[in-house]
Amino acid sequence: MPEIQVFESPEALYTGAAEEIARSAEAATLQKGRFSIALSGGSTPRGVYERLAESQCEQSLPWKETHFFWGDERHVPPEHPESNFGIAWEALLSKVAVPSRNIHRIPAEVEDPLRAAKLYEDDLLQFFRYPPGGWPRFDLILLGVGTDGHTASLFPGTEALSVDDRSVAPNWVESLASWRITLTLPAINHAERVIVLAAGGEKAGILRKALREPGGETPLPIQRVRPLSEGLVWMVDREAGRGIL
Ligand code: 6PG
């Protein structure tokens, strides 16, 4: 069973997650002189990004040593309202002294989603310097979870779920009639630490399913997030946690 932290309110969740990120950043920077984090998309993490951007808060990060990546991206340009990069840029990255070379955006404006995925994977190879057949080792990956059990852009029944020889894959999501670019499960599961964020009563059902029901023959995508490091923690507010308390 993964570690589950339940917070009284969404605000307490955002602060708790920001503190956890700051702890990971401090440990990684002390150990290696840099910190690599893959941000999540969606609306839940916005509050965490805003908390991190509050320059006087004790959770501020070592910006010059912190490298920002994304777990997934919509197939849109960075200025598009649905861009995961755009959300993080507006809430955090435009407000802190992180060097532009430390921002590793998924080039989702590239027309061919396969080429966009390859370009992002080349960036990961360059940064993490892992050998062929190896995997990037993010210090921390932030994930959300959809009410259908998807995470990053790994949606139930989609092809990217079965990609086991690449760190990044394009993924056609029929239910959205759109392409996504996403980290694959092996890339996620080789991270040092993974935080799954969930807030709001609409997530209570999927948390109960994901954390209290066995995955069986076809586990939910979120149930397949099992870091080899065993560094998985769910950070949820009381409303979302209703399904598991
Ligand atoms: C995305 C995210 C996705 C998200 C979940 C939860 O690109 O949308 O990566 O996996 O985390 O859909 O989204 P909310 O936080 O908005 O509920």
Side-chain angles (χ1 to χ4, degrees), residues 40-45 72 74 84 143-146 150-153 180 203:
S40 168
S43 57
T44 305
D72 70 314
R74 289 82 182 279
N84 288 337
L143 293 175
V145 58
H150 81 263
T151 191
S153 282
R180 295 285 187 97
K203 298 289 173 77

Side-chain angles (χ1 to χ4, degrees), residues 75 108 110-119 169-171 179-181:
H75 191 217
V110 169
E111 193 174 343
D112 176 359
L114 180 60
R115 183 158 174 272
K118 184 77 183 69
L119 288 169
N171 201 25
W179 282 100
R180 295 285 187 97
I181 292 100

